Amino acid sequence: MTSTNSESPSLPPGPKGRRFGNLLRRQSDFPGFMEELHREYGDIVFYELPFLKCCAVFDARLVPDVQEPHFLKWFPTGPMLESCLATLLDQEHEQRRSLMLAGLDESSMRGYGDIIRDGALAMRQRCRPGTTIDIKEEFDVFTSRTLLDAVVGRDLAVPTSVQLNVLKAVKVDLFLALFPGASVLTKQYSPFYIPIRRWLRAMDDVVQEAIRRAKDQARPVDNMVAHYVRARDEGVHGASHLTDKEIRDEALAFLCGYPDAPAAAMTYGVHFLAQAPAAQRRLEQEVDEVLGDRPVEVADFEKLSYARAVFQETVRLAPPAYVLLPVRPREDRIVGGHLVPKGTVTNVGARVLHRRTDYWDRPEDFRPERWLEEPGPRDRGCPEHGYIPFGVADRSCPFGGFAERMFVFAHASFAQRLRLEPASSDAPKQFSNGIGVKGPITVTVRQRRP
């Protein structure tokens, strides 16, 4: 447990100095840098970057000690996303999270399942046997299309390019938020920002139209914007005070904060299955038994147990982010017997936790079977926070179930008819921030069954 101590505890072990060296190492090979820190210094490590003091935690027992309320999220957000789940704290965050989860309940997920299923089948239709494609781009389009339909509604028929452009805009906004002075100058005077303004106006128009339609009580609540608007109009706790601007910010957060993780997982899934022919054959066998010749249906999700195990194993070896989003202590805290000073940027190394030899049997192997065996990983030594692909507690990603359905329906649809053969056996490379994968990822599409 985190506690105060009358003695003067020391900082966690770690490399001394090397601020710019640490920055370069982290930017060039983030997972390698985290693994190196764990290997050389242990389960909690202190290191410095230019203008930042940092801490990395690699022990599942310590994960609860670096969560709220004593540690607060630290993530620069630009003015495009001023009031959304990712930026709120304390009671406001709790209320907004409860509201979001209510829009992702079992009944809503059935409706979203139809959107995901249709998107997966459309994607398979685009991938013609004998062609060479960028599968990462296909997964990006599939993810964007699915999220657009789920967030603002299918009936708006918004072009996927609108969402992809606004995703670029928000990433630029987040980068500029790190440099407030440059941000103001860029937005006011740089021609570089002109198309970004145009992209944002296009998305604002879409969200405002979705809000307008949601106010019509005769329309069904079949998208997230409608869920927020209807909850506000009905005076639901935590929603009655929402403004259109706050609903718009939440919609942008949905559309820009969630696409990278499922697209990366699906891309890694192609790689891992290609490197494990036995797992690929078992997935194809399950799909043949469950689906036969008919298209995948929403109700098949529970029946495709091996496909779900492939997802779980994929995000174990390649979690959506190398580390959880950073937090900082409100005050000096003692964690694992060491001092973590107030303001220290603290990360939990999810990828390291997922590959610890004392937590996992053969941790470097891709073995979906581990999730179907009895006893399972939890009963074989993996502690409670040793597997955290979508975060922890109230800061965990509420779209984890959504991402899992996207993965299962996409890979089941492909496995039913096709095989994807990557041009390279090398694993996809994630961006230096640890979120999303770099493209292109070239694969050849082969016919498996007519």
Side-chain angles (χ1 to χ4, degrees), residues 333-372:
R333 300 296 299 175
I334 307 302
V335 179
H338 294 283
L339 171 68
V340 179
K342 176 182 177 180
T344 301
V345 177
T346 304
N347 286 112
V348 172
R351 189 176 187 274
V352 171
L353 292 174
H354 290 185
R355 294 171 180 247
R356 284 186 59 142
T357 56
D358 52 341
Y359 293 174
W360 303 92
D361 176 37
R362 293 157 52 194
E364 297 296 328
D365 292 352
F366 179 73
R367 291 186 56 249
E369 293 77 12
R370 76 173 77 241
W371 300 99
L372 303 175

Side-chain angles (χ1 to χ4, degrees), residues 276-354:
Q280 187 171 53
R281 287 193 297 271
R282 182 166 174 180
L283 174 63
E284 292 168 350
Q285 180 182 359
E286 177 181 79
V287 168
D288 290 345
E289 292 172 355
V290 173
L291 303 185
D293 293 326
R294 64 170 175 80
V296 66
E297 296 290 346
V298 174
D300 294 324
F301 178 73
E302 296 298 332
K303 303 172 188 175
L304 293 166
S305 58
Y306 192 75
R308 298 202 315 274
V310 170
F311 170 78
Q312 291 174 291
E313 185 71 346
T314 296
V315 295
R316 181 186 71 81
L317 286 171
Y322 300 139
V323 296
L324 303 190
L325 289 177
V327 293
R328 296 197 295 186
R330 296 176 186 249
E331 58 188 9
D332 290 355
R333 300 296 299 175
I334 307 302
V335 179
H338 294 283
L339 171 68
V340 179
K342 176 182 177 180
T344 301
V345 177
T346 304
N347 286 112
V348 172
R351 189 176 187 274
V352 171
L353 292 174
H354 290 185

Side-chain angles (χ1 to χ4, degrees), residues 33-139:
F33 178 61
M34 290 290 107
E35 290 166 3
E36 178 183 296
L37 291 179
H38 178 236
R39 183 172 59 252
E40 294 186 9
Y41 301 104
D43 291 340
I44 179 168
V45 181
F46 183 87
Y47 66 98
E48 293 181 283
L49 302 176
F51 312 111
L52 280 181
K53 298 183 185 301
C54 303
C55 179
V57 173
F58 304 112
D59 187 335
R61 296 170 300 177
L62 301 180
V63 172
D65 293 345
V66 293
Q67 305 303 315
E68 296 182 59
H70 300 298
F71 282 70
L72 298 179
K73 71 99 189 171
W74 180 79
F75 191 68
T77 52
M80 291 183 200
L81 303 177
E82 290 176 326
S83 178
C84 62
L85 185 67
T87 65
L88 298 176
L89 300 173
D90 301 326
Q91 186 176 4
E92 283 187 300
H93 177 269
E94 181 181 344
Q95 291 177 349
R96 188 71 62 85
R97 181 178 174 82
S98 296
L99 181 61
M100 179 186 289
L101 291 175
L104 295 169
D105 61 10
E106 183 177 349
S107 174
S108 299
M109 285 307 302
R110 284 196 293 271
Y112 296 144
D114 287 330
I115 293 173
I116 297 168
R117 182 269 321 278
D118 292 349
L121 293 173
M123 177 173 59
R124 186 184 72 185
Q125 188 68 22
R126 293 193 300 269
C127 299
R128 303 292 186 181
T131 60
T132 298
I133 62 171
D134 178 0
I135 193 61
K136 192 262 184 183
E137 182 179 12
E138 284 294 337
F139 287 142

